Amino acid sequence: MFKRLYQPILVASGLLVLILSNAWWDAIGLMTGQMRPSTVSLFVNVLASLFFLSCVNEGVGLFRRRLFRTATLLRFYVALSVASAVFGLDLLQPLLSVIAHPVWFAGEGNDWNLTVVPHLPSGMIVWDKSSLRGFYTGLSSFNRWDVLSGWMAPLTWWGLFLLNLGGAMVCLSASLFPFWKQARLSYPIAQIPLRFLSSRHNLLHQRAFWLGFGIAGFVNLFNGLHFLYPTVPSLGGWLLDLSPFFPNRPLNAIGWTPITVLPFGIGLGFVMPLDLLLSSWVFYLGWKAERVLSAMTGWWALPRFPYLEEQQFGAYLAFALLALAPIASIWNGRGYKARPPAEIRRLFYQPVPPAQGLTVNPATDRWLIGFFVCCLFLLVLVRSQGATLWLAGLFFIGYFLVSVAIARIRAQLGSPVHDLHFAGPDRTLVYIIGSRNLTPKDLTILSLFGGFNRAYRGHPMPHILEGIWLASELMEEVVKEPTGIRSFREAQLLAAGSSLIGWIAGYLFGTWSLLTASYRFGGRPWYGSEVFRQLDSYLHAPSSFGWASLLATLWGGLQVFLLSQLHLRFNFPLHPAGFVVSGSWSINLFWVSLAIAWIVKVSIVRWLGLTAHRNATPFFIGLVSGDYVAGSMWSLWGCWKGRPAYNFLP
């Protein structure tokens, strides 16, 4: 009995230590100007940690039984991925800055004491100004009772809110997975950790992997030395901006257009399907052409024309609806018979069969019930702070549709970026409805939601879904272990449980790490400044109903629908997902690397065949791993020295 308890306690302790160390690494890296590991779809710190654990496992396995079982490594990977999304670049880091910002900066050359502070919700904001002093000035400590007491109430409210948000994502991912598994989605990004976790692939024993690892690591090492000592030559790692070559109208409307070659970008592109690879950089150039056309016609002078944010938001919504349409057809009577209330009540008591075929089963029903219960609690929490119920409902519908779209894009096509900068439902709803038609309280709460809707680069839901897929793929291997997974249901529960553990630990450790580092180094106010400058414009320059914004949103969705029909019916080479992900900021950094990956992959498949493509895949995974591991080492060195180090994520 002691042995049965000892092993789970040891695994849980190791998992918590792993999450805490990564949270502290990310927090110190933020304060000392290191790379931001959650900028790309496959998190840098997570893959580097998995590589380290896999190497330790292989090293110990040479002399005795391996230190970590496959199920243990899977738990570590899933939990750390979700935790990194929580304490990462697009959730806790901006959120903590947002909830601390208004009270501290009210009256600093503004009229927020009259226009903003009276409408701030009581439970979502840090009200004790004295407890915020060290957050902005630094050289202080968060671990004091007078400081903790000021943060306790808002951190508790946001903890409950994010717990239900994470629970809703877990339930939604688990309910969607059986249907998307039947569609045989390839999960390209998750193929990389799968090759580390699976003993069948033996990635660490393949020469092609180590060749790619060595090339990328060597380039990263030299670029890091060049960053410290400019006399050392660099091997790339710089950006060439094309915009200075076009100083006059209309071509200068292209804006920032960098050219850079990223080894890990080429590696991530190589595991993507060819149609998305082609679509990503072609549609990127199309978005640039749209900006130039707007300048040529003179429409550029109109405010916010051509409404790129609304077009992107509409594109994400349309892609989500297209992904959900086959599932909805089952629920509306084709392939599914409505259950009577008595049978629905028995869902929680009858055995759950494994999900087989494109049918609704009791397990799916339970996950969906859990999703709606979490959504209900979210509405109750937001309503308790004074938000209008219909507006909160619209926000969460938009938020979860964007989440579904991102999860589907990652599951089907594996895009390395999906940021949707400043184009989430928190802003688009105001653009469409008009700030004049919303109460100041609603505008304030929507602005506060900008703390976790600033961008979606590190969105948690695709990591949850990929964790369930990894568990199902590794089920045959893990079943041979003493604590193996014996069914699809157990695989689903393992991934869902690991995701929830990672979510809770990510919030607790991430909050403590970020606030401790902020009180030591001085917090970063720019996130809060972005949000409340926008709220200031809502209040001082109210807008009416945005017909143009509504039409742009519908136009973005219509383009996705038309592209999907062309792609499905006429084998059109461009995929609608490329249109969805190519209009935001982050694709600027990847479009050249994705174009190179497309050329290389097309050449290998066409001239050498699928066998050569399969044999070359470990080399390109090595490019990703070598860049990630070397970049992580520079980041850790910079955290140790307390100074900026080479950042391979431009």
Side-chain angles (χ1 to χ4, degrees), residues 283-357:
F283 279 124
Y284 171 79
L285 297 176
W287 285 103
K288 293 293 184 181
E290 183 177 351
R291 297 169 66 93
V292 173
L293 180 63
S294 301
M296 290 174 61
T297 57
W299 295 339
W300 192 266
L302 296 175
R304 304 183 51 254
F305 193 87
Y307 304 98
L308 297 180
E309 291 79 9
E310 287 90 330
Q311 289 191 59
Q312 295 161 32
F313 182 68
Y316 273 88
L317 295 187
F319 196 84
L321 293 175
L322 288 172
L324 294 174
I327 302 173
S329 68
I330 300 172
W331 284 91
N332 69 10
R334 296 194 296 272
Y336 175 75
K337 293 182 179 179
R339 293 185 174 90
E343 188 174 348
I344 293 176
R345 287 195 296 270
R346 291 197 299 271
L347 291 177
F348 291 96
Y349 306 102
Q350 63 184 8
V352 179
Q356 296 177 352

Side-chain angles (χ1 to χ4, degrees), residues 163-173 370-371 374-375 378 400 461:
L163 178 63
N164 283 279
L165 192 72
M169 289 187 198
V170 170
C171 293
L172 186 58
S173 300
F371 169 71
C374 290
C375 289
L378 288 172
F400 284 113
M461 186 164 164

Side-chain angles (χ1 to χ4, degrees), residues 11 86 213 230 247 280 333 426 457 460 463 465 483 486 536 540 577 626:
V11 170
V86 173
F213 185 96
S280 298
D426 58 312
R457 291 164 292 188
H463 296 279
L465 188 69
T483 58
R486 293 178 295 274
D536 208 40
H540 288 86

Side-chain angles (χ1 to χ4, degrees), residues 102 111-125 127 385-387 439-446 448 532 535 539:
D111 59 352
W112 290 1
N113 284 323
L114 300 175
T115 59
V116 173
V117 173
H119 305 294
L120 291 173
S122 58
M124 301 168 67
I125 294 296
W127 288 96
Q385 298 301 306
T439 65
K441 176 73 77 173
D442 284 332
L443 291 172
T444 304
I445 291 178
L446 283 178
L448 290 173
F532 285 96
L535 177 60
L539 297 174

Side-chain angles (χ1 to χ4, degrees), residues 267-294:
L268 290 175
F270 191 83
V271 301
M272 293 165 55
L274 283 171
D275 51 358
L276 182 63
L277 265 178
L278 175 64
S279 305
S280 298
W281 63 270
V282 169
F283 279 124
Y284 171 79
L285 297 176
W287 285 103
K288 293 293 184 181
E290 183 177 351
R291 297 169 66 93
V292 173
L293 180 63
S294 301

